[in-house]
């Protein structure tokens, strides 16, 4: 089988195209896609401890610590000790972090809508379900 015909190669190519579109938007706001994902996850599930964020993002603790260091330096998140367990650091968005989400979320939505508009809605939903099945088995 030719490389161009393999599922992994096709998924990677599509992923890079989406990544480039989002990266272009986020760069102008001095944030990376990985930082954006961290902010969104803290917003959606937060307050969130660093360990839980690492699990959700499928990253190791050191990678998450560095990510949070950068977000904290940009004053987008704060870390506080968990009063129930001082070993845990609780992550919350700052006002600046919430403001950035308010600014960038509609732009991210536009990219996602453009991607999803390529296929009919029922095919988009089928594709999502198939990709989720694939993710669970890998």
């Amino acid at each position: 089988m030719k490389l161009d015909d393999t599922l992994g190669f096709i998924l990677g190519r599509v992923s890079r195209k989406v990544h480039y579109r989002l990266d272009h938007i986020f760069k102008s706001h001095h944030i990376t896609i990985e930082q954006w994902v961290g902010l969104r996850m803290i917003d959606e599930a937060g307050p969130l401890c660093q360990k839980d964020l690492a699990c959700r993002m499928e990253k190791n603790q050191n990678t998450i610590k560095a990510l949070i260091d950068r977000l904290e330096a940009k004053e987008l998140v704060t870390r506080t000790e968990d009063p129930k367990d001082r070993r845990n650091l609780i992550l919350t968005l700052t006002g600046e972090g919430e403001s950035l989400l308010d600014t960038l979320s509609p732009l991210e939505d536009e990219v996602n809508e453009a991607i999803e508009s390529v296929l009919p809605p029922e095919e988009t939903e089928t594709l999502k379900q198939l990709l989720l099945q694939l993710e669970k088995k890998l």
Side-chain angles (χ1 to χ4, degrees):
M1 180 181 319
K2 288 179 56 178
L3 179 63
D4 285 348
D5 296 333
T6 64
L7 183 57
F9 188 76
I10 294 167
L11 286 172
R13 197 170 54 226
V14 170
S15 176
R16 280 187 299 281
K17 287 182 179 189
V18 172
H19 181 93
Y20 292 145
R21 288 178 83 168
L22 290 170
D23 189 52
H24 177 72
I25 293 167
F26 297 148
K27 269 187 180 176
S28 65
H29 290 82
H30 311 289
I31 189 168
T32 67
I33 291 174
E34 188 172 64
Q35 291 168 356
W36 173 253
V37 170
L39 287 175
R40 286 288 306 268
M41 287 187 170
I42 294 167
D43 180 56
E44 291 175 6
L48 194 61
C49 79
Q50 243 175 249
K51 184 177 179 182
D52 290 342
L53 182 61
C55 289
R56 287 174 179 269
M57 290 185 70
E58 298 180 350
K59 304 278 184 182
N60 70 47
Q61 293 273 357
N62 291 333
T63 301
I64 290 300
K65 182 187 178 314
L67 173 72
I68 298 305
D69 286 346
R70 289 188 292 278
L71 290 173
E72 195 173 40
K74 294 177 182 187
E75 299 180 351
L76 300 173
V77 300
T78 59
R79 281 187 271 218
T80 55
E81 281 185 1
D82 184 345
K84 297 174 189 165
D85 184 348
R86 293 178 48 195
R87 295 171 296 177
N88 287 333
L89 294 172
I90 303 297
L91 307 170
T92 54
L93 297 182
T94 62
E96 185 74 24
E98 290 173 357
S99 177
L100 185 63
L101 280 177
D102 290 344
T103 299
L104 293 178
S105 289
L107 302 175
E108 180 195 28
D109 289 345
E110 287 178 20
V111 171
N112 285 316
E113 288 168 11
I115 293 165
E116 291 188 13
S117 73
V118 172
L119 300 172
E122 61 278 356
E123 288 183 15
T124 297
E125 193 55 39
T126 299
L127 178 58
K128 287 179 185 178
Q129 295 306 314
L130 290 170
L131 289 171
L132 288 170
Q133 284 179 35
L134 185 59
E135 178 188 33
K136 286 179 185 176
K137 300 215 181 205
L138 294 177

